[in-house]
C-alpha cells in the first residue's frame, strides 16, 4: 500500500523547530541569512540543504528539523530580502510612491540576482512580503478603485519590474562570460541587422531605424514602462 502523500503546508504556520530536544541552536533568520549568502555568492544552484548546514556548522539532517523542505528554504530567503524594503509613510502621491517602490524592488533584485527566479505567488505569504503588500496598498489609498484592482496593480507592476530586471541580469551575466567586450558584440550584431534591413524585406523595421535618435536610455525605458502600467489604472488618465 502506497504511503500517504505529503500534505501542503505553510512554514509560517509551523513552530520554529519541530521535534524534541534542547533549545534550538538556530533561528529561521539565521538559516535564511546563510542561504542568502550562499545564493549571493554562487547563485541559486549553489543553495542546498547540505551547503546551508555546512554554512551554519550543523548536520544536514538536523537542518530538516527547522526547514522541512527546500521550498520552505526558498520562502525564508524571499522573506529575508523582503526586509530590505524601506517602509516609509506614504506621501499622498500614489504614483510617485509606487514608482519608488518599483525602483527599490529593482535595486533589491540587482543586489540578489537570484530573486527574479523565485518571484512567485507561492512565496507571497511570508511576514515581510505581507508587510510590503500592505505598504503598497497604503500608498494606493488616494486611488479611488476597489482593493481587488489595487492588488492587481501591485501584481502587474511587480511583474514588469521582475521581467525587466531579470533581462538586465541575464544580459550582464552573458556579457561577463564573453571573451570580448559588450561594445564589440553589439557592433557585430548591429552591422548584421543593418545588412538585413538594407535588403528592403523589412520596410517597417527600416522606418523604425530611421527614427533612431541614438543609444537607448535604458533607465528612461524602465521609467516609461512603469508609468504606462500606472496610466492603465489612473482614472485621471484613462
Amino acid at each position: 500500500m502506497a504511503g500517504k502523500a505529503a500534505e501542503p503546508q505553510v512554514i509560517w504556520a509551523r513552530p520554529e523547530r519541530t521535534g524534541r530536544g534542547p533549545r534550538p541552536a538556530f533561528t529561521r533568520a539565521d538559516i535564511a541569512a546563510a542561504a542568502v549568502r550562499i545564493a549571493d555568492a554562487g547563485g541559486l544552484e549553489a543553495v542546498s540543504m547540505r551547503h546551508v548546514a555546512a554554512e551554519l556548522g550543523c548536520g544536514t539532517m538536523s537542518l530538516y528539523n527547522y526547514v522541512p523542505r527546500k521550498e520552505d528554504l526558498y520562502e525564508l530567503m524571499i522573506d529575508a530580502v523582503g526586509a530590505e524594503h524601506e517602509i516609509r509613510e506614504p506621501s499622498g502621491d500614489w504614483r510617485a510612491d509606487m514608482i519608488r517602490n518599483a525602483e527599490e524592488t529593482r535595486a533589491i533584485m540587482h543586489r540578489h540576482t537570484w530573486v527574479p527566479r523565485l518571484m512567485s505567488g507561492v512565496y507571497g505569504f511570508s511576514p515581510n512580503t505581507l508587510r510590503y503588500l500592505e505598504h503598497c496598498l497604503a500608498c494606493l489609498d488616494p486611488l479611488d478603485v476597489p482593493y481587488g484592482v489595487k492588488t492587481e496593480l501591485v501584481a502587474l507592476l511587480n511583474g514588469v519590474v521582475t521581467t525587466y530586471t531579470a533581462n538586465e541580469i541575464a544580459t550582464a551575466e552573458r556579457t561577463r562570460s564573453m571573451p570580448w567586450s559588450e561594445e564589440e558584440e553589439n557592433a557585430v550584431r548591429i552591422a548584421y541587422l543593418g545588412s538585413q534591413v538594407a535588403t528592403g524585406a523589412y520596410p517597417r523595421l527600416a522606418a523604425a531605424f530611421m527614427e533612431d535618435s541614438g543609444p537607448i536610455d535604458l533607465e528612461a525605458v524602465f521609467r516609461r514602462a512603469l508609468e504606462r502600467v500606472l496610466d492603465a489604472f489612473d482614472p485621471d488618465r484613462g
Side-chain angles (χ1 to χ4, degrees), residues 95-96 99 103 106 164 218-228:
R95 291 180 67 101
I99 288 175
E103 290 175 339
R106 181 185 177 207
Y164 192 94
L218 296 178
E219 293 300 318
V221 171
F222 178 68
R223 182 62 177 262
R224 283 197 298 272
L226 300 182
E227 293 281 4
R228 285 165 178 163

Short mmCIF file of all heavy atoms in Angstrom, two decimals, residues 95-96 99 103 106 164 218-228:
data_model
loop_
_atom_site.label_atom_id
_atom_site.label_comp_id
_atom_site.label_asym_id
_atom_site.label_seq_id
_atom_site.Cartn_x
_atom_site.Cartn_y
_atom_site.Cartn_z
N ARG A 95 1.20 57.65 -7.36
CA ARG A 95 2.05 57.28 -8.49
C ARG A 95 3.52 57.37 -8.11
O ARG A 95 4.31 56.46 -8.39
CB ARG A 95 1.76 58.20 -9.70
CG ARG A 95 0.40 57.99 -10.33
CD ARG A 95 0.22 58.95 -11.52
NE ARG A 95 1.11 58.63 -12.61
CZ ARG A 95 0.77 57.96 -13.71
NH1 ARG A 95 -0.48 57.54 -13.87
NH2 ARG A 95 1.65 57.73 -14.66
N ALA A 96 3.90 58.46 -7.46
CA ALA A 96 5.30 58.62 -7.05
C ALA A 96 5.72 57.55 -6.06
O ALA A 96 6.83 57.00 -6.13
CB ALA A 96 5.50 60.01 -6.43
N ILE A 99 6.16 54.19 -7.94
CA ILE A 99 7.39 54.20 -8.73
C ILE A 99 8.60 54.01 -7.83
O ILE A 99 9.54 53.26 -8.14
CB ILE A 99 7.50 55.50 -9.55
CG1 ILE A 99 6.48 55.46 -10.70
CG2 ILE A 99 8.91 55.68 -10.08
CD1 ILE A 99 6.41 56.74 -11.50
N GLU A 103 11.24 50.93 -8.09
CA GLU A 103 12.68 51.14 -8.26
C GLU A 103 13.47 50.48 -7.12
O GLU A 103 14.56 49.95 -7.33
CB GLU A 103 12.97 52.63 -8.33
CG GLU A 103 12.46 53.26 -9.63
CD GLU A 103 12.63 54.77 -9.68
OE1 GLU A 103 12.76 55.38 -8.59
OE2 GLU A 103 12.62 55.33 -10.80
N ARG A 106 13.60 46.77 -7.84
CA ARG A 106 14.63 46.52 -8.87
C ARG A 106 16.02 46.53 -8.25
O ARG A 106 16.86 45.67 -8.57
CB ARG A 106 14.51 47.59 -9.95
CG ARG A 106 15.50 47.46 -11.10
CD ARG A 106 15.34 48.65 -12.01
NE ARG A 106 16.27 48.69 -13.12
CZ ARG A 106 16.66 49.82 -13.71
NH1 ARG A 106 16.17 50.98 -13.30
NH2 ARG A 106 17.51 49.78 -14.71
N TYR A 164 11.72 42.90 -16.38
CA TYR A 164 12.73 43.85 -16.86
C TYR A 164 14.08 43.58 -16.19
O TYR A 164 15.12 43.52 -16.85
CB TYR A 164 12.26 45.27 -16.57
CG TYR A 164 13.07 46.35 -17.25
CD1 TYR A 164 12.67 46.87 -18.48
CD2 TYR A 164 14.23 46.85 -16.67
CE1 TYR A 164 13.42 47.85 -19.11
CE2 TYR A 164 14.98 47.82 -17.30
CZ TYR A 164 14.57 48.33 -18.53
OH TYR A 164 15.32 49.30 -19.14
N LEU A 218 18.22 53.11 -21.15
CA LEU A 218 17.50 52.01 -20.50
C LEU A 218 16.78 52.46 -19.24
O LEU A 218 15.73 51.91 -18.88
CB LEU A 218 18.47 50.88 -20.19
CG LEU A 218 19.10 50.20 -21.42
CD1 LEU A 218 20.07 49.11 -20.99
CD2 LEU A 218 18.01 49.61 -22.31
N GLU A 219 17.33 53.44 -18.56
CA GLU A 219 16.66 53.95 -17.36
C GLU A 219 15.34 54.62 -17.74
O GLU A 219 14.33 54.47 -17.07
CB GLU A 219 17.56 54.93 -16.61
CG GLU A 219 18.79 54.29 -16.00
CD GLU A 219 18.45 53.21 -14.98
OE1 GLU A 219 17.51 53.41 -14.19
OE2 GLU A 219 19.12 52.16 -15.00
N ALA A 220 15.37 55.37 -18.84
CA ALA A 220 14.15 56.04 -19.31
C ALA A 220 13.12 55.02 -19.78
O ALA A 220 11.92 55.19 -19.56
CB ALA A 220 14.49 57.02 -20.43
N VAL A 221 13.59 53.95 -20.42
CA VAL A 221 12.68 52.90 -20.87
C VAL A 221 11.99 52.25 -19.67
O VAL A 221 10.78 52.01 -19.68
CB VAL A 221 13.44 51.83 -21.70
CG1 VAL A 221 12.55 50.63 -21.97
CG2 VAL A 221 13.92 52.44 -23.01
N PHE A 222 12.75 51.97 -18.63
CA PHE A 222 12.20 51.37 -17.42
C PHE A 222 11.15 52.29 -16.80
O PHE A 222 10.05 51.85 -16.44
CB PHE A 222 13.31 51.09 -16.41
CG PHE A 222 12.84 50.51 -15.11
CD1 PHE A 222 12.31 49.23 -15.06
CD2 PHE A 222 12.93 51.24 -13.94
CE1 PHE A 222 11.87 48.69 -13.85
CE2 PHE A 222 12.49 50.71 -12.73
CZ PHE A 222 11.97 49.42 -12.69
N ARG A 223 11.48 53.56 -16.71
CA ARG A 223 10.54 54.51 -16.10
C ARG A 223 9.26 54.63 -16.94
O ARG A 223 8.15 54.68 -16.38
CB ARG A 223 11.21 55.89 -15.98
CG ARG A 223 10.37 56.96 -15.33
CD ARG A 223 10.01 56.60 -13.90
NE ARG A 223 9.27 57.67 -13.25
CZ ARG A 223 9.83 58.57 -12.45
NH1 ARG A 223 11.13 58.53 -12.18
NH2 ARG A 223 9.09 59.50 -11.88
N ARG A 224 9.38 54.63 -18.27
CA ARG A 224 8.19 54.69 -19.12
C ARG A 224 7.32 53.45 -18.95
O ARG A 224 6.09 53.53 -18.97
CB ARG A 224 8.59 54.86 -20.59
CG ARG A 224 9.02 56.26 -20.96
CD ARG A 224 9.00 56.47 -22.47
NE ARG A 224 9.91 55.57 -23.17
CZ ARG A 224 11.19 55.85 -23.40
NH1 ARG A 224 11.72 56.99 -22.96
NH2 ARG A 224 11.95 55.00 -24.07
N ALA A 225 7.96 52.30 -18.80
CA ALA A 225 7.20 51.06 -18.60
C ALA A 225 6.36 51.16 -17.32
O ALA A 225 5.18 50.78 -17.30
CB ALA A 225 8.14 49.86 -18.54
N LEU A 226 6.97 51.68 -16.26
CA LEU A 226 6.23 51.84 -15.00
C LEU A 226 5.09 52.83 -15.17
O LEU A 226 3.96 52.58 -14.71
CB LEU A 226 7.18 52.34 -13.90
CG LEU A 226 8.37 51.46 -13.53
CD1 LEU A 226 9.15 52.09 -12.39
CD2 LEU A 226 7.93 50.05 -13.16
N GLU A 227 5.38 53.94 -15.82
CA GLU A 227 4.36 54.98 -16.00
C GLU A 227 3.17 54.45 -16.80
O GLU A 227 2.01 54.76 -16.51
CB GLU A 227 4.96 56.20 -16.70
CG GLU A 227 6.00 56.96 -15.90
CD GLU A 227 5.38 57.89 -14.85
OE1 GLU A 227 4.15 57.88 -14.70
OE2 GLU A 227 6.15 58.62 -14.20
N ARG A 228 3.44 53.63 -17.80
CA ARG A 228 2.35 53.11 -18.65
C ARG A 228 1.48 52.12 -17.88
O ARG A 228 0.26 52.06 -18.11
CB ARG A 228 2.95 52.48 -19.91
CG ARG A 228 3.43 53.55 -20.89
CD ARG A 228 4.32 53.01 -21.97
NE ARG A 228 4.71 54.07 -22.90
CZ ARG A 228 5.72 53.99 -23.74
NH1 ARG A 228 6.44 52.88 -23.79
NH2 ARG A 228 6.01 55.00 -24.55
#
